[in-house]
């Protein structure tokens, strides 16, 4: 009889505990697409810059030796003022400057000192991100809930793809006559991470080893 009462008391306590935690669990549990953080990680930056580099490798670059070159560049969406797009165009221009200097050309800012203009047009450039998550999202302690619950992922898949579609055109600065053109050429990169049952993790990428998250990653072409 005492054992039955003890079992009943334990069951009631368990029920009370579950009912007390149920609103917290329902609010923290998620199934479906997640919202990735807006700031880019170091890996995500590498995805975009590497995609630009791969696009550049596919282009047929003109001879810059002895030429003074001014660069005009354009990235779709720049008028919106998104910081990521501004950084993408800054890197695009810097990478083009490096190409010109390596080929013996001189990059100038003032058109009055230049004899040719290089137009670098990005038809598309950026990063696509997608996250699928099933589990218990992290909850910060505070207010009525004094405890902090870390994220518990029963299944989580994170996928990011960098892309760049670039075209170049070299023109005489005075006559605006087209001297050389190439592209558009597409460069792509990807990074994928999968977590199953909290601890089992696997990563795939086609980035080089300089990628900060390249350790223990299976590479695919």
């Amino acid at each position: 009889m005492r054992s039955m009462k003890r079992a009943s008391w334990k069951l009631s306590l368990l029920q009370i505990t579950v009912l007390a935690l149920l609103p917290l669990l329902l609010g923290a549990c998620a199934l479906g697409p997640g919202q990735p953080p807006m700031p880019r990680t170091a890996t995500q930056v590498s995805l975009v810059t590497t995609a630009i580099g791969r696009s550049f490798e596919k282009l047929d670059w003109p001879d810059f030796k002895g030429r003074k070159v001014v660069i005009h560049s354009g990235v779709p969406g720049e008028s919106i003022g998104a910081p990521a797009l501004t950084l993408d165009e800054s890197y695009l221009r810097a990478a083009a400057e490096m190409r010109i200097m390596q080929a013996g050309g001189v990059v100038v800012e003032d058109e009055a000192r230049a004899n040719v203009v290089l137009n670098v047009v990005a038809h598309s450039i950026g990063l696509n991100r997608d996250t699928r998550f099933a589990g218990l999202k992290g909850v910060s302690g505070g207010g009525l809930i004094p405890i902090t619950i870390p994220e518990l992922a029963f299944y989580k898949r994170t996928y990011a793809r960098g892309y760049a579609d670039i075209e170049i055109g070299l023109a005489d600065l005075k006559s605006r006559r087209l001297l050389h053109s190439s592209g558009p050429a597409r460069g792509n990169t990807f990074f994928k991470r999968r977590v199953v049952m909290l601890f089992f993790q696997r990563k795939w990428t086609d980035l080089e080893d300089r990628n900060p998250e390249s350790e223990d990653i299976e590479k695919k072409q």
Side-chain angles (χ1 to χ4, degrees), residues 51-117:
I52 292 174
R54 290 178 181 177
S55 175
F56 274 16
E57 290 295 332
K58 296 178 181 179
L59 294 170
D60 178 24
W61 292 83
D63 182 17
F64 293 109
K65 190 173 182 179
R67 285 172 165 168
K68 294 182 179 180
V69 187
V70 64
I71 299 175
H72 291 172
S73 62
V75 174
E78 179 64 24
S79 60
I80 299 176
L85 293 174
T86 302
L87 293 175
D88 290 345
E89 184 172 15
S90 297
Y91 182 84
L92 184 70
R93 290 179 61 89
E97 289 180 9
M98 184 66 68
R99 284 273 179 172
I100 295 170
M101 291 185 291
Q102 288 175 342
V106 178
V107 179
V108 296
E109 296 292 335
D110 187 2
E111 287 192 2
R113 298 177 52 202
N115 47 42
V116 292
V117 55

Side-chain angles (χ1 to χ4, degrees), residues 26-45:
L26 291 176
C29 188
L31 177 62
Q35 295 295 328
M38 293 306 294
R40 290 180 182 174
T41 66
T43 297
Q44 292 168 350
V45 171

Side-chain angles (χ1 to χ4, degrees), residues 23 75 86 130 133 178 182:
V75 174
T86 302
D130 181 64
F133 177 86
L178 184 65
S182 180

Side-chain angles (χ1 to χ4, degrees), residues 7-218:
S8 177
W9 178 80
K10 289 182 178 180
L11 182 60
S12 299
L13 181 60
L14 178 61
Q15 290 173 338
I16 293 173
T17 304
V18 171
L19 290 174
L21 292 177
L22 186 58
L24 173 63
L25 294 175
L26 291 176
C29 188
L31 177 62
Q35 295 295 328
M38 293 306 294
R40 290 180 182 174
T41 66
T43 297
Q44 292 168 350
V45 171
S46 294
L47 289 171
V48 177
T49 57
T50 302
I52 292 174
R54 290 178 181 177
S55 175
F56 274 16
E57 290 295 332
K58 296 178 181 179
L59 294 170
D60 178 24
W61 292 83
D63 182 17
F64 293 109
K65 190 173 182 179
R67 285 172 165 168
K68 294 182 179 180
V69 187
V70 64
I71 299 175
H72 291 172
S73 62
V75 174
E78 179 64 24
S79 60
I80 299 176
L85 293 174
T86 302
L87 293 175
D88 290 345
E89 184 172 15
S90 297
Y91 182 84
L92 184 70
R93 290 179 61 89
E97 289 180 9
M98 184 66 68
R99 284 273 179 172
I100 295 170
M101 291 185 291
Q102 288 175 342
V106 178
V107 179
V108 296
E109 296 292 335
D110 187 2
E111 287 192 2
R113 298 177 52 202
N115 47 42
V116 292
V117 55
L118 179 68
N119 292 292
V120 184
V121 180
H123 296 279
S124 62
I125 185 171
L127 181 74
N128 285 336
R129 296 177 287 187
D130 181 64
T131 300
R132 300 288 171 174
F133 177 86
L136 189 66
K137 287 189 174 182
V139 177
S140 299
L144 299 176
I145 305 173
I147 59 175
T148 298
I149 300 177
E151 179 182 277
L152 302 176
F154 302 114
Y155 176 83
K156 184 176 183 179
R157 189 205 66 171
T158 303
Y159 182 80
R161 182 176 70 90
Y163 58 91
D165 194 13
I166 301 172
E167 181 178 7
I168 60 171
L170 185 72
D172 182 81
L173 193 58
K174 292 183 179 179
S175 65
R176 295 291 176 175
R177 181 173 61 90
L178 184 65
L179 303 175
H180 180 91
S181 65
S182 180
R186 170 65 65 90
N188 291 294
T189 56
F190 77 91
F191 181 87
K192 181 168 65 173
R193 177 191 286 114
R194 183 179 296 161
V195 180
V196 180
M197 298 306 293
L198 311 182
F199 304 108
F200 301 100
Q201 183 174 195
R202 194 175 182 186
K203 304 174 186 177
W204 299 265
T205 187
D206 60 350
L207 292 174
E208 299 298 327
D209 288 339
R210 63 185 177 86
N211 169 41
E213 296 188 36
S214 63
E215 185 179 357
D216 299 326
I217 291 178
E218 177 180 343

